[in-house]
Every structure is written in C-alpha cells, then in structure tokens.
C-alpha cells in the first residue's frame, strides 16, 4: 500500500473541497490559531512515517490526551474503574451537567469531561507527579521527547474553568472524587494543554493498532484485552455526540479534541493523526473527519 500517495490525494481533495467550520472560541488561547492549517501523518506498524501538509506543526491535543490518561489508569484499576465511570456513548454535549445529575454522578464514559475528570482523579491517586508522569508516558509512547504543556493554554482554560469546576464539585457530591478538586483540575487542564504534532501523536497511538504493544517504547503498554477495550471505547465514545456518525462514515476507533486534532487507528495496519482547527457544531474538526472518510473510502477497507 502506497500510503504517501494515498494521503497526498486525500490532502488535495480536501484542499479543493475546502469545507469550513469554526475554531473553538471558548478557550481564548486556542481561538487565535491560524484556521487554514491542515496536516496529516500516518504511521505504519514498522514505524514508517508518511506526512502531508502541516503535519510537523505542534497543536493543542486537548481531549485526545484522555486516551493517554485512560491508558495509564486502566491497568492500575482494571474493571474496578467501571464502577466510577460507564462505557456508554453519551449522546449529549461533552460538558453536560444535566446528564451527570440524572445518572447520579457516574459519567457516561471516560471521554466526556465528567468521565475524564474521574480518570484524572484516579490518576492523581496513583501517580505522585501526575503532569510530569503523563508527559513522560506520552514521550515514551512516541519514542521521543515531543510533549510540551503549553502554559498559556493551560492558564487560559483555568481562567475559564467554571463548567469543569462545577462538574468536579458535582462528582464530589456523589462521592466520586477522591483528591482535592483544584489539584485534579490543574492536572486535567495541563494534559489537555499538551502540544504535539501529527507525527508524534500518531506514534503515541501506534500501540492501539498493535494489540497493546508499542514498537516505539518497545514494550507492552496494555494487554491485548485492555487495548481492545480502549479501541471499543474510542469507536463508541471518541467523537462527542457524533460518535455514531464517525463510525458510520469512517469506521475507525479514534478520538478528537477541540484543538481540531483527531487520532485514530486501523488495527493491525496503522495509526494516523489529522489536524485542522475549524470544528463543526459537535466540536469535531471538519477537515480531519472528512479526510479520514476519504481515506477509508480510498482504502476500501475499514473495521467493517
Ligand atoms: N480542555 C477541554 C475542556 O475541558 C477539552 C475539550 C475537548 O477537547 O473535548 O473543555
């Protein structure tokens, strides 16, 4: 398979279609990024990298980091984790407070904000220096020192934290939060503020295409069984309340973030990261999603 030609074709088609959306404006520091940027990197399971467009430009990975934090926490708690957070698609906006109330403080899944806060809380219970350890972990997955926590983005979110703080207090009121709220929020905003480029992000997801074994870290990151579960969660919950549409149109497990990135895997074949800042009304990058749809159409295979 000539992946380089494939992604270049996809890139050209997207540039001529030029679908537009709106850059996330609720995190002021992200609102200022150049909306025209668009890049894509595909990494196969031999470690070959194929890239096009702005694939070497670092961007804010935001919620994509929730896959990394879940990966750190899952082996520490195993199935006990699922008494604190469910594994169902939410069908609601990612920062919904109403859903958390009528489901009595158990978030729908680890990727909506409430669920990710529970995961970050669990992480803080097991790791003494969470922010450093998350960065080290992702560097290890990518096989190089690539992670930078953008302090401006982190502070920007911290200064607009009312909703995430409300979610954390809500969780606490249902005894589903163990550590000090401020501390966990700081860790959460820091991991959301991680910047990486498409190549490193795709490399950091490679183990999920490879039954849990990372060819970059040269070790098993998750058991095959845990890796399958993380992929199932990405497929059903990785795209806010548009996960069904993504599975229908693209058919790959993946995770998006409001910075405009999407990381996805084709099990036993490759991992891929796509980035373009303009989002649709569900919070997913318009160009990234369209690019992955074109890619799987051209490949004429997906998961299904
Ligand atoms: N840090 C963002 C928030 O908590 C993450 C949003 C996202 O990428 O889904 O609102």
């Amino acid at each position: 398979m000539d992946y380089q030609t494939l992604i270049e074709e996809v890139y050209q088609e997207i540039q001529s279609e030029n679908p537009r959306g709106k850059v996330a404006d609720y995190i002021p520091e992200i609102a200022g990024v150049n909306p025209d940027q668009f890049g894509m990197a595909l990494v196969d399971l031999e470690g070959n990298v194929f890239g096009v467009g702005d694939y070497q430009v670092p961007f804010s990975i935001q919620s994509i980091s929730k896959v990394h934090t879940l990966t750190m926490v899952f082996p520490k708690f195993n199935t006990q984790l699922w008494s604190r957070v469910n594994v169902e698609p939410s069908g609601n906006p990612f920062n919904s407070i109403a859903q958390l109330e009528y489901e009595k403080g158990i978030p729908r899944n680890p990727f909506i904000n409430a669920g990710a806060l529970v995961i970050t809380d669990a992480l803080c219970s097991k790791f003494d220096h969470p922010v450093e350890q998350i960065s080290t972990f992702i560097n290890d997955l990518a096989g190089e020192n690539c992670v930078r926590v953008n302090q401006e983005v982190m502070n920007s979110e911290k200064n607009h934290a009312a909703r995430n703080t409300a979610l954390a207090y809500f969780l606490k009121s249902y005894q589903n939060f163990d550590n000090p709220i401020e501390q966990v929020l700081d860790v959460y905003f820091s991991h959301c503020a991680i910047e990486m480029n498409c190549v490193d992000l795709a490399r950091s997801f490679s183990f999920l295409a490879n039954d849990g074994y990372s060819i970059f870290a040269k070790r098993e990151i998750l058991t095959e069984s845990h890796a399958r579960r993380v992929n199932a969660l990405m497929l059903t919950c990785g795209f806010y309340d548009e996960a069904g549409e993504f599975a229908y149109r693209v058919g790959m497990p993946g995770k998006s973030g409001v910075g405009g990135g999407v990381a996805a895997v084709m099990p036993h074949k490759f991992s891929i990261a796509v980035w373009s800042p303009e989002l649709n009304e569900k919070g997913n990058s318009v160009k990234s999603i369209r690019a992955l749809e074109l890619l799987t159409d051209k490949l004429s295979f997906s998961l299904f």
Side-chain angles (χ1 to χ4, degrees), residues 28-296:
E29 200 61 39
I30 289 185
V33 306
N34 170 2
D36 296 326
Q37 296 174 97
F38 173 43
M40 189 169 8
L42 186 152
V43 176
D44 71 15
L45 292 181
E46 268 135 46
N48 300 307
V49 173
F50 308 89
V52 66
D54 297 309
Y55 71 104
Q56 286 165 315
V57 179
F59 63 94
S60 192
I61 69 169
Q62 290 294 320
S63 277
I64 301 171
S65 62
K66 294 172 183 175
V67 177
H68 302 113
T69 51
L70 175 64
T71 300
M72 288 174 78
V73 162
F74 196 7
K76 303 269 181 209
F77 293 89
N78 292 307
T79 48
Q80 278 173 8
L81 201 55
W82 312 132
S83 62
R84 296 187 61 186
V85 52
N86 274 318
V87 292
E88 289 296 340
S90 74
N92 266 300
F94 66 97
N95 54 7
S96 171
I97 290 181
Q99 188 169 53
L100 192 57
E101 170 148 46
Y102 62 70
E103 295 188 349
K104 302 199 168 36
I106 306 294
R108 269 291 173 101
N109 66 64
F111 297 145
I112 55 171
N113 283 16
L117 285 166
V118 167
I119 298 298
T120 305
D121 177 55
L123 194 145
C124 289
S125 299
K126 295 286 182 190
F127 294 89
D128 292 336
H129 305 286
V131 178
E132 291 74 14
Q133 285 166 288
I134 294 168
S135 301
T136 306
F137 180 68
I138 300 177
N139 283 333
D140 192 30
L141 292 181
E144 58 198 351
N145 255 343
C146 55
V147 168
R148 182 177 93 91
V149 177
N150 182 324
Q151 286 305 325
E152 283 81 50
V153 173
M154 146 71 178
N155 289 330
S156 184
E157 264 211 88
K158 211 170 152 172
N159 293 332
H160 295 81
R163 209 172 172 97
N164 283 318
T165 310
L167 286 170
Y169 275 100
F170 233 92
L171 290 162
K172 190 110 187 154
S173 79
Y174 284 103
Q175 283 83 48
N176 196 4
F177 213 86
D178 297 329
N179 297 285
I181 284 175
E182 286 287 304
Q183 181 203 332
V184 175
L185 284 172
D186 270 11
V187 176
Y188 173 81
F189 294 139
S190 298
H191 74 67
C192 286
I194 286 174
E195 289 185 350
M196 296 168 79
N197 65 28
C198 287
V199 176
D200 296 322
L201 186 57
R203 288 164 65 110
S204 79
F205 266 61
S206 169
F207 73 99
L208 289 167
N210 196 32
D211 295 331
Y213 183 88
S214 167
I215 56 169
F216 300 108
K218 299 189 176 56
R219 65 185 171 89
E220 182 181 271
I221 305 297
L222 290 178
T223 62
E224 190 268 337
S225 151
H226 278 181
R228 252 190 301 125
R229 263 114 197 149
V230 172
N231 284 344
L233 279 165
M234 291 201 294
L235 186 74
T236 52
C237 314
F239 293 85
Y240 311 116
D241 46 336
E242 203 176 27
E245 172 107 6
F246 185 81
Y248 180 82
R249 284 172 55 188
V250 180
M252 289 168 83
K255 180 75 196 85
S256 65
V258 294
V262 173
V265 296
M266 188 66 82
H268 305 142
K269 297 233 164 22
F270 59 78
S271 55
I272 185 164
V274 194
W275 168 61
S276 180
E278 289 191 346
L279 312 179
N280 64 21
E281 65 291 345
K282 296 282 171 70
N284 292 310
S285 166
V286 176
K287 285 187 183 168
S288 303
I289 289 198
R290 179 76 186 121
L292 289 169
E293 183 180 18
L294 280 175
L295 182 101
T296 45

